[in-house]
Amino acid sequence: MLLEHASGRQSLLEIVRGGQDDEASRIICHVAARLHARRTPLPIDLIPLSRWFEALTFTAEVRGGIFRSISSIVTKLFAEPRDIAVLHGDIHHGNILAGPRGWLAIDPKGLIGEREFDFANIFCNPDFGVATSPGRLARQVEIITEAACLDRH
């Protein structure tokens, strides 16, 4: 286990509050890229993303509606996995701190699955006001797909 002190004065929340939401998203993507770097062999104690979503399957059966629709989409995505990586599982503005080696991720969940999963939280963070600001979703799609080298579709 590697422990490192994150002691920088700057936070991603401050960057967003300073009007640089796009830059904060790029930083998150670069931190994720370091975490997603191929490791061989892969650690064996990671939780598969499909297991992480088991509660959704149960909820879909019990509650139906939108949960059933989402569960159906998730099932299709898990049927054709691609770009498998070690995942943080909870990357967002508050879980990335400044440290001696730059920006560092904290509080990993230890998952394995499609690396695209780690970028979802960027869209709904750092808070409701920022996440729902006009034009942000379209802008963030472009920024994240470029910075993370993801297929836009």
Side-chain angles (χ1 to χ4, degrees), residues 14-128:
E14 288 174 1
I15 289 175
V16 172
R17 289 186 188 120
Q20 297 180 304
D21 180 35
D22 298 348
E23 181 58 23
S25 295
R26 286 185 189 95
I27 290 168
I28 294 170
C29 290
H30 293 295
V31 169
R34 289 196 321 260
L35 296 173
H36 295 162
R38 294 275 181 219
R39 292 173 175 82
T40 49
L42 286 172
I44 59 171
D45 58 344
L46 298 174
I47 300 166
L49 201 51
S50 58
R51 188 171 337 139
W52 198 251
F53 276 85
E54 284 177 351
L56 174 61
T57 303
F58 174 76
T59 303
E61 291 171 6
V62 173
R63 307 255 333 243
I66 193 167
F67 295 105
R68 184 169 288 129
S69 298
I70 294 168
S71 181
S72 174
I73 292 168
V74 168
T75 299
K76 289 176 189 172
L77 290 172
F78 287 150
E80 298 179 28
R82 55 193 176 122
D83 210 4
I84 302 300
V86 172
L87 303 173
H88 180 280
D90 192 25
I91 283 195
H92 58 76
H93 296 71
N95 273 349
I96 296 181
L97 304 173
R101 293 184 300 121
W103 294 100
L104 304 170
I106 64 167
D107 196 23
K109 303 306 177 209
L111 306 176
I112 188 166
E114 293 187 66
R115 71 183 187 94
E116 290 85 352
F117 174 80
D118 263 348
F119 301 99
N121 282 338
I122 299 172
F123 294 102
C124 58
N125 277 288
D127 60 42
F128 183 79

